[in-house]
Coordinates of all heavy atoms in Angstrom, one line a residue:
G1 N -30.5 -15.9 -2.9 CA -31.8 -15.8 -2.3 C -32.9 -15.4 -3.3 O -34.1 -15.4 -3.0
D2 N -32.5 -15.2 -4.5 CA -33.5 -14.8 -5.6 C -33.6 -16.0 -6.6 O -32.7 -16.5 -7.1 CB -33.0 -13.5 -6.4 CG -34.1 -13.0 -7.2 OD1 -34.8 -13.7 -7.9 OD2 -34.1 -11.7 -7.2
D3 N -34.8 -16.4 -6.9 CA -35.1 -17.5 -7.7 C -34.7 -17.2 -9.2 O -34.6 -18.2 -10.0 CB -36.6 -18.0 -7.7 CG -37.0 -18.6 -6.3 OD1 -36.1 -19.0 -5.7 OD2 -38.2 -18.6 -6.1
L4 N -34.4 -15.9 -9.6 CA -34.0 -15.6 -10.9 C -32.6 -16.1 -11.1 O -32.2 -16.3 -12.2 CB -34.1 -14.1 -11.2 CG -35.5 -13.5 -11.3 CD1 -35.4 -12.0 -11.3 CD2 -36.2 -14.0 -12.5
V5 N -31.9 -16.3 -10.1 CA -30.4 -16.6 -10.2 C -30.0 -18.1 -10.0 O -30.4 -18.7 -9.0 CB -29.5 -15.8 -9.3 CG1 -28.1 -15.9 -9.5 CG2 -30.0 -14.3 -9.3
S6 N -29.3 -18.7 -11.0 CA -28.9 -20.0 -10.8 C -27.3 -20.0 -10.7 O -26.7 -19.0 -11.2 CB -29.3 -20.9 -12.0 OG -30.7 -20.9 -12.1
F7 N -26.7 -21.0 -10.3 CA -25.2 -21.1 -10.2 C -24.8 -22.4 -10.8 O -25.3 -23.4 -10.7 CB -24.8 -21.1 -8.7 CG -25.2 -19.8 -8.0 CD1 -26.3 -19.7 -7.4 CD2 -24.4 -18.7 -8.2 CE1 -26.8 -18.5 -6.8 CE2 -24.7 -17.5 -7.6 CZ -25.8 -17.4 -6.8
A8 N -23.6 -22.2 -11.5 CA -22.9 -23.4 -12.0 C -21.4 -23.3 -11.8 O -20.9 -22.2 -11.5 CB -23.1 -23.4 -13.5
T9 N -20.7 -24.5 -11.7 CA -19.3 -24.4 -11.5 C -18.7 -24.1 -12.9 O -19.0 -24.7 -13.9 CB -18.8 -25.8 -11.0 OG1 -17.3 -25.6 -11.0 CG2 -19.3 -27.0 -11.8
H10 N -17.6 -23.3 -12.8 CA -16.8 -23.0 -14.1 C -15.4 -23.6 -13.7 O -14.4 -23.1 -14.3 CB -16.8 -21.5 -14.2 CG -16.4 -21.1 -15.7 ND1 -16.6 -22.0 -16.8 CD2 -15.8 -20.0 -16.2 CE1 -16.1 -21.4 -17.8 NE2 -15.7 -20.2 -17.5
S11 N -15.4 -24.6 -12.9 CA -14.2 -25.3 -12.3 C -13.8 -24.7 -11.0 O -14.1 -23.6 -10.7 CB -13.1 -25.5 -13.4 OG -12.3 -24.2 -13.3
H12 N -12.8 -25.5 -10.4 CA -12.2 -24.9 -9.2 C -10.8 -24.3 -9.6 O -10.5 -23.1 -9.4 CB -12.0 -25.9 -8.1 CG -11.2 -25.4 -6.9 ND1 -11.8 -24.5 -6.1 CD2 -10.0 -25.7 -6.5 CE1 -11.0 -24.2 -5.1 NE2 -9.9 -24.8 -5.3
D13 N -10.0 -25.1 -10.3 CA -8.6 -24.7 -10.6 C -8.2 -25.3 -12.0 O -7.0 -25.7 -12.2 CB -7.7 -25.2 -9.5 CG -6.3 -24.5 -9.7 OD1 -6.2 -23.4 -10.0 OD2 -5.3 -25.1 -9.2
L14 N -9.1 -25.1 -13.0 CA -8.8 -25.6 -14.3 C -8.5 -24.4 -15.3 O -8.1 -24.7 -16.4 CB -9.9 -26.4 -14.9 CG -10.1 -27.8 -14.1 CD1 -11.3 -28.5 -14.8 CD2 -8.9 -28.7 -14.2
H15 N -8.7 -23.2 -14.8 CA -8.3 -22.0 -15.6 C -6.9 -21.8 -15.5 O -6.5 -20.6 -15.1 CB -9.2 -20.8 -15.3 CG -10.6 -20.9 -15.8 ND1 -11.5 -22.0 -15.4 CD2 -11.3 -20.2 -16.7 CE1 -12.6 -21.8 -16.0 NE2 -12.5 -20.7 -16.7
K16 N -6.1 -22.7 -16.1 CA -4.6 -22.5 -16.0 C -4.0 -23.4 -17.1 O -4.7 -24.3 -17.7 CB -4.1 -22.7 -14.6 CG -4.2 -24.2 -14.2 CD -3.7 -24.5 -12.9 CE -3.8 -26.0 -12.5 NZ -3.3 -26.3 -11.2
D17 N -2.7 -23.3 -17.3 CA -1.9 -24.1 -18.2 C -1.3 -25.2 -17.4 O -0.9 -25.0 -16.3 CB -1.0 -23.4 -19.1 CG -1.7 -22.5 -20.1 OD1 -2.9 -22.7 -20.4 OD2 -1.0 -21.5 -20.5
V18 N -1.3 -26.5 -18.0 CA -0.3 -27.5 -17.3 C 0.7 -28.0 -18.4 O 0.5 -27.8 -19.6 CB -1.2 -28.6 -16.9 CG1 -2.2 -28.3 -15.8 CG2 -2.0 -29.2 -18.1
R19 N 1.7 -28.6 -17.9 CA 2.7 -29.2 -18.8 C 2.1 -30.3 -19.6 O 1.4 -31.2 -19.1 CB 3.9 -29.7 -18.1 CG 5.1 -30.1 -18.9 CD 6.3 -30.5 -18.1 NE 7.3 -31.1 -18.8 CZ 8.5 -31.5 -18.3 NH1 8.8 -31.3 -17.1 NH2 9.4 -32.0 -19.1
S20 N 2.3 -30.3 -21.0 CA 1.7 -31.4 -21.8 C 2.7 -32.4 -22.3 O 2.2 -33.4 -22.9 CB 0.9 -30.6 -22.9 OG 1.8 -29.8 -23.7
N21 N 3.9 -32.1 -22.2 CA 4.8 -33.2 -22.8 C 6.2 -33.0 -22.2 O 6.5 -32.1 -21.3 CB 4.9 -33.0 -24.4 CG 5.3 -31.6 -24.8 OD1 6.2 -31.0 -24.2 ND2 4.7 -31.1 -25.9
K22 N 7.1 -33.9 -22.6 CA 8.5 -33.9 -22.0 C 9.3 -32.7 -22.3 O 10.3 -32.3 -21.7 CB 9.2 -35.1 -22.5 CG 9.5 -35.3 -23.8 CD 10.3 -36.6 -24.1 CE 10.6 -36.8 -25.5 NZ 11.3 -38.1 -25.8
W23 N 8.9 -31.9 -23.4 CA 9.7 -30.8 -23.9 C 9.2 -29.5 -23.1 O 9.8 -28.4 -23.3 CB 9.5 -30.6 -25.3 CG 10.1 -31.7 -26.1 CD1 11.4 -31.9 -26.4 CD2 9.3 -32.8 -26.7 NE1 11.5 -33.1 -27.1 CE2 10.2 -33.7 -27.2 CE3 8.0 -33.1 -26.8 CZ2 9.9 -34.9 -27.9 CZ3 7.6 -34.3 -27.4 CH2 8.5 -35.1 -28.0
G24 N 8.3 -29.6 -22.2 CA 7.8 -28.5 -21.5 C 6.8 -27.6 -22.0 O 6.4 -26.5 -21.4
N25 N 6.1 -28.0 -23.2 CA 5.0 -27.2 -23.7 C 3.9 -27.3 -22.8 O 3.6 -28.1 -22.0 CB 4.6 -27.9 -25.0 CG 5.7 -27.8 -26.0 OD1 6.3 -28.8 -26.4 ND2 5.9 -26.7 -26.6
R26 N 3.0 -26.2 -22.8 CA 2.0 -26.0 -21.9 C 0.6 -25.9 -22.6 O 0.6 -25.1 -23.6 CB 2.2 -24.9 -20.7 CG 3.4 -25.1 -20.0 CD 3.6 -24.0 -19.0 NE 2.7 -24.2 -17.9 CZ 2.8 -25.0 -16.9 NH1 3.9 -25.8 -16.8 NH2 1.9 -25.1 -16.0
Q27 N -0.4 -26.4 -22.1 CA -1.8 -26.3 -22.8 C -2.8 -26.2 -21.6 O -2.5 -26.3 -20.4 CB -2.0 -27.5 -23.5 CG -1.1 -27.8 -24.7 CD -1.2 -26.8 -25.8 OE1 -2.3 -26.2 -26.0 NE2 -0.2 -26.6 -26.6
P28 N -4.1 -25.7 -22.0 CA -5.0 -25.5 -20.9 C -5.4 -26.8 -20.2 O -5.6 -27.8 -20.7 CB -6.3 -25.0 -21.9 CG -5.7 -24.4 -23.0 CD -4.5 -25.2 -23.3
A29 N -5.4 -26.6 -18.8 CA -5.6 -27.8 -18.0 C -6.9 -28.6 -18.2 O -6.9 -29.8 -18.1 CB -5.6 -27.3 -16.6
A30 N -8.0 -27.9 -18.7 CA -9.3 -28.5 -18.8 C -9.3 -29.5 -20.0 O -10.2 -30.4 -20.1 CB -10.4 -27.6 -18.9
V31 N -8.4 -29.3 -21.0 CA -8.5 -30.1 -22.2 C -7.3 -30.8 -22.5 O -7.1 -31.2 -23.7 CB -9.0 -29.2 -23.4 CG1 -10.4 -28.6 -23.2 CG2 -8.0 -28.0 -23.7
T32 N -6.4 -31.0 -21.6 CA -5.1 -31.6 -21.8 C -4.8 -32.7 -20.8 O -5.0 -32.6 -19.7 CB -4.0 -30.4 -21.7 OG1 -4.3 -29.4 -22.6 CG2 -2.6 -31.0 -21.9
Q33 N -4.3 -33.7 -21.4 CA -3.7 -34.8 -20.6 C -2.3 -34.4 -20.0 O -1.5 -34.2 -20.9 CB -3.7 -36.1 -21.4 CG -5.0 -36.8 -21.6 CD -4.9 -38.0 -22.4 OE1 -5.3 -37.9 -23.6 NE2 -4.3 -39.1 -22.0
E34 N -2.3 -34.3 -18.7 CA -1.1 -33.5 -18.2 C 0.2 -34.5 -18.2 O 0.0 -35.7 -18.0 CB -1.4 -33.2 -16.7 CG -0.4 -32.3 -16.1 CD -0.7 -31.8 -14.6 OE1 -1.9 -32.3 -14.2 OE2 0.1 -31.1 -14.0
W35 N 1.2 -33.9 -18.4 CA 2.6 -34.6 -18.4 C 3.0 -34.8 -16.9 O 3.0 -34.0 -16.1 CB 3.7 -33.8 -18.9 CG 5.1 -34.5 -18.8 CD1 6.0 -34.1 -17.9 CD2 5.6 -35.5 -19.6 NE1 7.1 -34.8 -18.0 CE2 6.9 -35.8 -19.1 CE3 5.2 -36.2 -20.7 CZ2 7.7 -36.7 -19.6 CZ3 6.0 -37.2 -21.2 CH2 7.2 -37.5 -20.7
L36 N 3.1 -36.1 -16.6 CA 3.5 -36.5 -15.2 C 5.0 -36.8 -15.1 O 5.5 -37.8 -15.6 CB 2.7 -37.8 -14.8 CG 1.2 -37.7 -14.9 CD1 0.6 -39.0 -14.6 CD2 0.6 -36.6 -14.0
A37 N 5.7 -35.8 -14.5 CA 7.2 -35.8 -14.6 C 7.7 -37.1 -13.9 O 8.7 -37.7 -14.3 CB 7.7 -34.6 -13.9
E38 N 7.0 -37.4 -12.8 CA 7.5 -38.6 -12.0 C 7.4 -39.9 -12.8 O 8.2 -40.9 -12.5 CB 6.8 -38.7 -10.7 CG 5.4 -39.1 -10.7 CD 4.5 -37.8 -11.0 OE1 5.0 -36.8 -11.3 OE2 3.2 -38.0 -10.9
K39 N 6.5 -39.9 -13.7 CA 6.3 -41.2 -14.6 C 6.8 -41.0 -15.9 O 6.9 -42.0 -16.6 CB 4.8 -41.5 -14.6 CG 4.1 -41.8 -13.3 CD 2.6 -42.2 -13.5 CE 1.9 -42.6 -12.2 NZ 0.5 -42.9 -12.4
E40 N 7.2 -39.8 -16.3 CA 7.8 -39.5 -17.6 C 6.8 -39.9 -18.6 O 7.3 -40.5 -19.6 CB 9.2 -40.1 -17.7 CG 10.2 -39.6 -16.8 CD 11.7 -40.1 -17.2 OE1 11.8 -41.1 -17.9 OE2 12.6 -39.5 -16.7
T41 N 5.6 -39.6 -18.4 CA 4.6 -39.9 -19.5 C 3.3 -39.0 -19.1 O 3.3 -38.3 -18.1 CB 4.1 -41.3 -19.4 OG1 3.2 -41.6 -20.5 CG2 3.4 -41.7 -18.0

């Protein structure tokens, strides 16, 4: 309600790690192409 305040998204659910390769390594979700186990890629 105050014009001094603005809002931005800092993501919904990207502040976490995701699997990044077949060996199970994990990296931040926002900057990583996720490993898709069902496609093995």
Side-chain angles (χ1 to χ4, degrees):
D2 193 322
D3 291 339
L4 287 173
V5 187
S6 301
F7 296 91
T9 173
H10 201 22
S11 85
H12 178 69
D13 193 30
L14 294 178
H15 281 61
K16 64 181 182 181
D17 292 338
V18 294
R19 186 174 173 181
S20 59
N21 57 40
K22 64 181 179 180
W23 296 283
N25 298 103
R26 302 185 71 81
Q27 297 293 333
V31 295
T32 302
Q33 287 173 250
E34 187 174 2
W35 174 261
L36 304 175
E38 67 279 8
K39 295 182 179 179
E40 296 188 341
T41 187

